Amino acid sequence: MRIGELAERAGTTTRTLRYYESRGLLPARRTHNGHRTYDESDLKLLRQIRTLQDFGFDLEETRPFLECLRAGHPDGDSCPASLAVYRRKLNELDALIGELQAVRAQIGVRLAALDDTEEPLCEMGGPER
């Protein structure tokens, strides 16, 4: 299939496909007259990229999953390098969750302290006069 058809089927743009090609994530096959050509395996690569990006992975983090698919595995996450990326991402998410829980606790303490204040607050947050 040509680049326009692949973009349409993948729900993306031709510009994005060219960018992925420039980053080495999508193969750069050409016909004898210079047109880019793709097949169903390329569509599978693009779907893998989109799924991982929806999960919060950056573009470079998708590379091991794509290499796993290119190696003939039916799923991009069945190779050791893909599993390593999953583990790193999970650790990163756990750290972020911990940071957010700490911020939430601080806001809760501050709000509780303000709720206990005897003095009413004005609309702008300062004491009424």
Side-chain angles (χ1 to χ4, degrees):
M1 72 187 92
R2 304 264 304 263
I3 192 168
E5 181 183 350
L6 180 62
E8 184 178 326
R9 290 184 63 191
T12 192
T13 65
T14 57
R15 182 178 181 184
T16 297
L17 298 182
R18 286 187 202 100
Y19 178 69
Y20 291 168
E21 183 182 308
S22 74
R23 298 283 308 267
L25 299 172
L26 198 60
R29 293 184 304 270
R30 304 253 181 188
T31 63
H32 65 281
N33 58 1
H35 294 288
R36 288 174 172 87
T37 184
Y38 303 96
D39 58 27
E40 291 298 320
S41 66
D42 300 317
L43 182 58
K44 189 171 184 173
L45 293 175
L46 287 171
R47 288 184 175 146
Q48 181 76 75
I49 292 170
R50 299 279 304 241
T51 298
L52 291 169
Q53 286 191 310
D54 287 347
F55 290 163
F57 288 71
D58 66 35
L59 197 53
E60 194 56 37
E61 289 173 317
T62 69
R63 191 174 299 278
F65 297 86
L66 303 179
E67 290 170 358
C68 189
L69 287 171
R70 283 191 195 108
H73 298 276
D75 298 306
D77 58 4
S78 59
C79 296
S82 303
L83 296 174
V85 173
Y86 270 158
R87 287 185 185 95
R88 278 195 310 270
K89 183 57 81 175
L90 196 55
N91 287 335
E92 182 182 307
L93 291 170
D94 286 342
L96 288 171
I97 289 168
E99 290 173 22
L100 289 170
Q101 287 174 331
V103 169
R104 186 185 188 289
Q106 291 172 356
I107 291 171
V109 167
R110 182 69 180 141
L111 185 58
L114 292 170
D115 284 343
D116 291 340
T117 304
E118 298 283 329
E119 193 174 330
L121 301 175
C122 74
E123 290 179 14
M124 298 304 291
E128 288 185 324
R129 300 208 188 264

